[in-house]
């Protein structure tokens, strides 16, 4: 998008652009972990290896699915854990995936990413900002924020991988522009 203003991710007319950027960042993440020799390489996240980033992405994304089911089909979500618990729980959950093999984790993340993209692509313009989906740590948020949470996770954690492994570690310009308000 040619403009001096950052793209407003909350505007449903920008949904296609936001999701296209997210899909590119997902592909970038998978490219970063394509070499099996990198699986246990360090990242910029203290104490995390590449495999822990993948565990975190699975944990975060899979944690959203029950809330999407409730938002679309009805039900009552649990109380949010709160942001104070998020760092500890996200770390513990990411590390818990270490016992699962690389190929299984990558297949799982591919499935998770496809499912999440399916939810996001299926949103109508009205649902983009109007469908409230319960976040496990924060509580109810408009559905569009899940596209941004995924963009943050894939963009920033791909950077973490590149930083930790010594690769050039700039961010994609479109992704960086979308992340400015976040």
């Amino acid at each position: 998008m040619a403009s001096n203003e950052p793209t407003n991710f909350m505007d449903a007319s920008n949904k296609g652009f936001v999701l296209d950027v997210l899909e590119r960042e997902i592909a970038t993440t998978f490219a970063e972990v394509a070499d099996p020799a990198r699986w246990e390489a360090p990242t910029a996240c203290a104490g995390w290896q590449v495999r822990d980033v993948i565990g975190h992405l699975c944990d975060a994304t899979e944690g959203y699915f029950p809330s999407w089911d409730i938002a679309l089909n009805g039900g009552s979500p649990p109380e949010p854990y709160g942001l104070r618990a998020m760092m500890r729980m996200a770390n513990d959950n990411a590390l818990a995936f270490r016992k699962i093999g690389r190929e299984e984790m990558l297949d799982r993340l591919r499935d998770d990413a496809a499912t999440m993209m399916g939810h996001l692509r299926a949103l109508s313009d009205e649902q983009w900002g109007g469908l409230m989906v319960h976040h496990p740590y924060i509580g109810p948020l408009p559905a569009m924020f899940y596209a941004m949470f995924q963009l943050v996770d894939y963009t920033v954690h791909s950077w973490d991988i590149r930083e930790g492994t010594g690769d050039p570690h700039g961010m994609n310009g479109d992704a960086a522009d979308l992340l400015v308000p976040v």
Side-chain angles (χ1 to χ4, degrees):
M1 303 190 90
S3 170
N4 291 331
E5 296 294 318
T7 301
N8 180 357
F9 73 88
M10 294 185 282
D11 183 337
S13 68
N14 294 320
K15 177 181 110 171
F17 176 72
V18 170
L19 297 182
D20 289 348
V21 172
L22 173 55
E23 283 185 329
R24 285 195 307 263
E25 291 303 305
I26 291 169
T28 296
T29 300
F30 280 101
E32 294 294 334
V33 300
D35 180 357
R38 293 185 124 186
W39 193 239
E40 294 183 23
T43 71
C45 298
W48 276 14
Q49 299 172 345
V50 169
R51 64 183 173 168
D52 304 321
V53 167
I54 301 306
H56 168 65
L57 293 172
C58 285
D59 172 57
T61 307
E62 291 170 8
Y64 299 155
F65 295 153
S67 297
W68 277 84
D69 184 55
I70 291 169
L72 295 170
N73 301 310
S76 299
E79 287 295 315
Y81 296 114
L83 291 177
R84 291 181 191 262
M86 190 165 119
M87 185 170 68
R88 177 188 49 77
M89 292 177 74
N91 183 65
D92 292 349
N93 292 346
L95 296 177
F97 284 103
R98 282 186 171 186
K99 62 185 175 223
I100 301 174
R102 179 181 174 278
E103 290 305 316
E104 183 178 341
M105 286 303 297
L106 292 176
D107 287 345
R108 186 171 176 166
L109 184 58
R110 277 186 199 89
D111 290 345
D112 290 347
T115 299
M116 193 70 209
M117 288 305 299
H119 284 311
L120 294 168
R121 289 250 182 234
L123 292 170
S124 68
D125 286 353
E126 183 179 289
Q127 289 173 318
W128 184 251
L131 179 68
M132 299 303 285
V133 182
H134 178 85
H135 188 277
Y137 296 100
I138 301 169
L141 292 169
M144 70 181 126
F145 279 95
Y146 288 83
M148 292 308 294
F149 294 150
Q150 291 280 276
L151 187 63
V152 167
D153 270 346
Y154 281 98
T155 302
V156 172
H157 289 306
S158 287
W159 182 93
D160 291 332
I161 291 169
R162 291 188 298 276
E163 172 73 8
T165 57
D167 288 349
H169 53 277
M171 280 186 186
N172 170 278
D174 288 334
D177 286 346
L178 283 168
L179 295 180
V180 167
V182 179

